[in-house]
Amino acid sequence: GVRRAAGCARGEAGGCAMTAMPLRLAQLQARRLIGGAMAGQPRQHEDFYATEPDAVRALLRVEPFGRHLWEPACGTGELAVALRASGRWVTASDLVPRGYGRAGVDFRKVRRAPAREAITNPPFSGAAAFLRHGMDVLRLAKFALLLRFAWYCPGREGLLDRLPPVRVHAFT
């Protein structure tokens, strides 16, 4: 079958609406939706930034997903709760215990996925490892990574050449 590399949705706030507002305002909007440190600011411990439910709802409006999904970096559960509110059955896990989902599950060591499709806002510093593991080892049918556009900057050409996204959605 067709592999959906980095699947369908490695989007972040930005895109066409970004041209209609000052860049700094667009960056702040991006951080509100999917989190992330601003330039010059210290990063959160363990690269943890909660996902706003609006980001999930925006993704679900433009990208079809099945009824059973996996959220492998669930953090405090915001993304998983929004997915469940859309009527989906969600398996939620995370390496770090944050009070939601099954704790102690290292996505990069899982050998069998609990669902064929996954949506997550991975730690920015580990996103490449998430992408490689999800596509090469788990062979997910669909894998949506919520990332800032900065993730597409130079330095990942080989990875993105080998595992190109099927679609990229930009949200503001």
Side-chain angles (χ1 to χ4, degrees), residues 116-140:
R116 296 292 304 140
E117 297 180 352
I119 302 175
T120 194
N121 177 1
F124 189 81
S125 59
F130 265 68
L131 174 59
R132 281 191 297 271
H133 190 75
M135 299 312 298
D136 292 339
V137 177
L138 298 175
R139 304 185 70 67
L140 292 165

Side-chain angles (χ1 to χ4, degrees), residues 58-78:
L59 173 62
L60 295 176
R61 281 194 296 274
V62 297
E63 188 64 41
F65 288 93
R67 304 307 289 168
H68 182 198
L69 301 169
W70 180 22
E71 211 298 46
C74 70
T76 52
E78 286 82 354

Side-chain angles (χ1 to χ4, degrees), residues 15-49:
C16 59
M18 190 177 271
T19 61
M21 64 179 76
L23 181 58
R24 181 74 174 160
L25 180 59
Q27 289 171 332
L28 290 171
Q29 178 72 1
R31 297 317 185 275
R32 186 187 70 76
L33 286 173
I34 65 167
M38 296 295 286
Q41 299 295 317
R43 300 202 58 80
Q44 292 291 321
H45 180 63
E46 297 169 336
D47 218 11
F48 172 68
Y49 298 92

Side-chain angles (χ1 to χ4, degrees), residues 1 18 24 48 73 90 95-96 100 105-106 120 123 125 129 135 147 153 155 160 166 170:
M18 190 177 271
R24 181 74 174 160
F48 172 68
V90 180
L95 176 61
V96 179
Y100 192 90
V105 178
D106 186 343
T120 194
S125 59
M135 299 312 298
L147 296 168
C153 292
L160 294 176
V166 172

